[in-house]
């Protein structure tokens, strides 16, 4: 892809992500619930209750508590243990920690109520035999954070984690990739179709102008959030 500019070879290491959390350099974290999830939640839930919902590269996303409070079971994965500890602390949620026997060095932090389970490890170490399958996914800041060279690997894994008749809400970002090296990375619609197209029905639900001062500092003149719903069949 010439349309992704020089981004295709860009690599951000796990160490760099850990440092972002350590230094509090987490402009990607939103203190409020994401308006696109609030607006389109019914598309994700599709009239169903008690779903298992996955948050890939979850950070300390506030929506995890919101969905758990609705009666859903939330599972997240994140390399930064600090991010997960901050999530539980900021919501005053007691939790316990246990090792994940199948993954060397991994931990699971689980709310004592049992409805939020957050894995501290690389997402690529997960599999459906460890975390099960999901009825819904909220992917905001995950696909766009994955190194472009790992995108196929990421999507292949995500597809194996989808239950029949599940829904996957995906937020990507659109801007001129020749002007900013990422992350977040630009993922064009054509690539969403080539990555997921054989496995589900894809529909673009909304594009939102999300341009702010930070994007101006990056040298950009526009920045959009693009929301897709991916529907997996029976």
């Amino acid at each position: 892809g010439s349309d992704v500019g020089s981004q295709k070879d860009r690599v951000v290491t796990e160490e760099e992500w850990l440092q972002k959390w350590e230094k509090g350099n987490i402009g990607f974290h939103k203190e409020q619930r994401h308006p696109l999830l609030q607006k389109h939640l019914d598309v994700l839930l599709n009239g169903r209750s008690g779903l298992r919902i996955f948050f890939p590269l979850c950070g300390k996303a506030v929506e995890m508590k919101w969905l758990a409070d609705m009666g859903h079971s939330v599972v997240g994965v994140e390399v930064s243990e600090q991010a997960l500890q901050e999530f539980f602390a900021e919501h005053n949620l007691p939790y316990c920690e246990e090792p994940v026997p199948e993954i060397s060095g991994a931990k699971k932090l689980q709310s004592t109520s049992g409805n939020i389970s957050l894995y501290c490890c690389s997402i690529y170490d997960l599999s459906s035999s460890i975390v099960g399958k999901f009825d819904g996914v909220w992917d905001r800041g995950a696909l766009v954070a994955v190194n472009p060279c790992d995108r196929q690997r990421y999507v292949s894994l995500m597809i194996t984690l989808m239950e029949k008749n599940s829904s996957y809400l995906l937020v990507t970002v659109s801007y001129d990739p020749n002007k900013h090296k990422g992350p977040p990375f630009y993922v064009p619609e054509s690539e969403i179709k080539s990555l997921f197209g054989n496995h589900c029905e894809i529909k673009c639900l909304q594009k939102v102008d999300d341009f702010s001062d930070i994007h101006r500092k990056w040298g950009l003149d526009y920045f959009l959030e693009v929301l897709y719903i991916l529907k997996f069949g029976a």
Side-chain angles (χ1 to χ4, degrees):
S2 55
D3 57 347
V4 297
S6 56
Q7 290 189 350
K8 67 177 179 4
D9 303 318
R10 170 106 163 102
V11 170
V12 184
T13 64
E14 205 167 275
E15 199 45 55
E16 286 174 78
W17 285 110
L18 293 173
Q19 281 172 359
K20 284 178 193 285
W21 281 99
E22 279 162 28
K23 292 176 178 163
N25 179 15
I26 52 166
F28 47 82
H29 173 69
K30 304 264 192 254
E31 297 289 341
Q32 306 295 327
R33 294 201 292 263
H34 199 292
L36 286 174
L37 182 59
Q38 288 186 267
K39 181 175 175 184
H40 297 280
L41 181 64
D42 54 337
V43 185
L44 181 66
L45 301 182
N46 200 10
R48 301 165 301 165
S49 56
L51 300 190
R52 295 193 81 232
I53 300 176
F54 187 44
F55 280 68
L57 315 192
C58 61
K60 54 176 181 176
V62 298
E63 298 88 355
M64 296 193 288
K65 167 96 167 40
W66 183 51
L67 287 168
D69 287 347
M70 279 180 212
H72 303 292
S73 169
V74 170
V75 175
V77 62
E78 167 61 50
V79 292
S80 169
E81 187 174 356
Q82 179 183 337
L84 302 180
Q85 289 168 341
E86 286 178 12
F87 169 78
F88 287 110
E90 287 166 15
H91 296 282
N92 298 314
L93 287 174
Y95 69 96
C96 49
E97 264 183 40
E98 55 186 68
V100 182
E102 303 93 331
I103 307 170
S104 167
K107 286 181 184 173
K108 179 167 83 166
L109 285 63
Q110 186 167 42
S111 61
T112 25
S113 54
N115 56 354
I116 302 177
S117 305
L118 307 182
Y119 288 80
C120 183
C121 61
S122 162
I123 189 167
Y124 304 115
D125 290 333
L126 293 184
S127 64
S128 58
S129 62
I130 299 171
V131 292
K133 294 196 172 198
F134 299 99
D135 309 299
V137 170
W138 171 241
D139 182 331
R140 179 248 150 208
L143 178 65
V144 296
V146 167
N147 291 324
C149 60
D150 292 329
R151 245 173 230 163
Q152 183 62 64
R153 181 185 180 197
Y154 171 82
V155 168
S156 300
L157 169 67
M158 293 300 288
I159 287 163
T160 66
L161 298 179
M162 302 307 292
E163 211 39 283
K164 294 185 165 90
N165 296 316
S166 54
S167 305
Y168 185 134
L169 274 184
L170 170 65
V171 180
T172 65
V173 292
S174 180
Y175 60 84
D176 181 346
N178 295 299
K179 294 186 173 177
H180 177 61
K181 61 185 183 179
F185 297 109
Y186 167 56
V187 188
E189 186 159 351
S190 57
E191 190 159 356
I192 303 293
K193 288 179 172 159
S194 71
L195 287 166
F196 286 101
N198 294 335
H199 304 276
C200 56
E201 199 184 297
I202 302 169
K203 186 176 166 195
C204 180
L205 292 177
Q206 198 176 351
K207 293 185 181 182
V208 183
D209 178 5
D210 195 38
F211 189 69
S212 67
D213 284 342
I214 182 140
H215 304 124
R216 192 174 286 113
K217 284 193 187 107
W218 291 351
L220 300 176
D221 34 31
Y222 70 95
F223 189 92
L224 302 173
E225 279 195 317
V226 187
L227 179 72
Y228 298 91
I229 178 77
L230 315 180
K231 286 194 168 289
F232 289 77

